[in-house]
Amino acid sequence: DIRCTVDQTLSIAEVEYAKTLGYALLPPILVSVSVSIWMICGQRFVGPNLWRPMMTGTIVLLLYLVCPSISAKTFGLWKCEDIEGIGSIFVVDPETLCDDPSHIAWTGGVGVPCILVYVFGLPALGLGLLYKFRHKLDEKNTRIRLGLLYDGYKRENYMHEFWVMVRKLLIIIIGIFTKKLQVTLAI
């Protein structure tokens, strides 16, 4: 428990907010580290013509891997439960009310931008890139850059991974915002 390592008393909600902020900062950090490593080592070890597509492929892979975790952590900020006589409580920390000003500030300041940028923005960006390069899917540089998103499928089904991501997001939303019939809704 992270609260044991710090001297000051932290609530469970504050730890959850910090973890969500960490998830929000993870993609820019991953992209920056990837770009730095590829710029330093890419030309030397891979060659002048391949290092940029491989850098883009690395970024696509890393963002593809962290997107579901960021989505789940972000939507978790809105996981509240109504308790009779008390109001809506934050499920992660029952001592925090969902209409508390600090909770509203975190959902508005971190949660909403994460939803716009990561939950909707990353899949839309991936879909836009695939659509833009739909006639060049078999070219070497396109396969290196975006191949993770469409290799293994027939070329006319290049958008399949987008629909897989939409399905993952729907499963996350069902798991967080529904109490009953989760399995039925997921199926």
Side-chain angles (χ1 to χ4, degrees), residues 16 26 70 77 79 116 124 151:
E16 190 67 20
L26 186 61
I70 293 170
L77 289 175
K79 188 166 185 162
L116 294 174
D151 269 353

Side-chain angles (χ1 to χ4, degrees), residues 5-80:
T5 62
V6 294
D7 292 334
Q8 59 189 11
T9 306
L10 294 174
S11 70
I12 297 170
E14 290 171 329
V15 172
E16 190 67 20
Y17 300 147
K19 289 189 324 189
T20 305
L21 181 62
Y23 273 90
L25 296 175
L26 186 61
I29 292 169
L30 289 174
V31 169
S32 300
V33 169
S34 297
V35 168
S36 299
I37 290 172
W38 276 107
M39 289 184 82
I40 293 168
C41 302
Q43 290 178 346
R44 178 180 298 157
F45 296 112
V46 178
N49 296 332
L50 283 180
W51 76 272
R52 285 183 191 267
M54 292 181 88
M55 177 182 68
T56 305
T58 302
I59 292 168
V60 168
L61 171 68
L62 292 173
L63 293 179
Y64 177 79
L65 291 175
V66 299
C67 189
S69 299
I70 293 170
S71 301
K73 185 57 77 175
T74 301
F75 280 126
L77 289 175
W78 282 276
K79 188 166 185 162
C80 297

Side-chain angles (χ1 to χ4, degrees), residues 30-160:
L30 289 174
V31 169
S32 300
V33 169
S34 297
V35 168
S36 299
I37 290 172
W38 276 107
M39 289 184 82
I40 293 168
C41 302
Q43 290 178 346
R44 178 180 298 157
F45 296 112
V46 178
N49 296 332
L50 283 180
W51 76 272
R52 285 183 191 267
M54 292 181 88
M55 177 182 68
T56 305
T58 302
I59 292 168
V60 168
L61 171 68
L62 292 173
L63 293 179
Y64 177 79
L65 291 175
V66 299
C67 189
S69 299
I70 293 170
S71 301
K73 185 57 77 175
T74 301
F75 280 126
L77 289 175
W78 282 276
K79 188 166 185 162
C80 297
E81 189 173 318
D82 288 324
I83 303 295
E84 194 174 315
I86 296 176
S88 183
I89 62 164
F90 187 35
V91 172
V92 175
D93 184 8
E95 295 177 4
T96 302
L97 295 176
C98 287
D99 58 357
D100 183 60
S102 67
H103 185 76
I104 292 171
W106 277 97
T107 56
V110 175
V112 171
C114 281
I115 287 176
L116 294 174
V117 173
Y118 300 131
V119 177
F120 295 126
L122 285 180
L125 178 65
L127 180 65
L129 287 172
L130 286 174
Y131 184 77
K132 178 181 177 182
F133 292 105
R134 69 188 180 279
H135 300 299
K136 299 178 181 182
L137 295 178
D138 289 321
E139 290 181 8
K140 184 178 180 178
N141 282 345
T142 305
R143 289 187 69 192
I144 292 171
R145 287 181 176 123
L146 303 173
L148 166 77
L149 302 177
Y150 66 86
D151 269 353
Y153 307 116
K154 294 180 182 176
R155 293 303 178 247
E156 58 269 8
N157 297 327
Y158 65 91
M159 291 188 342
H160 179 72

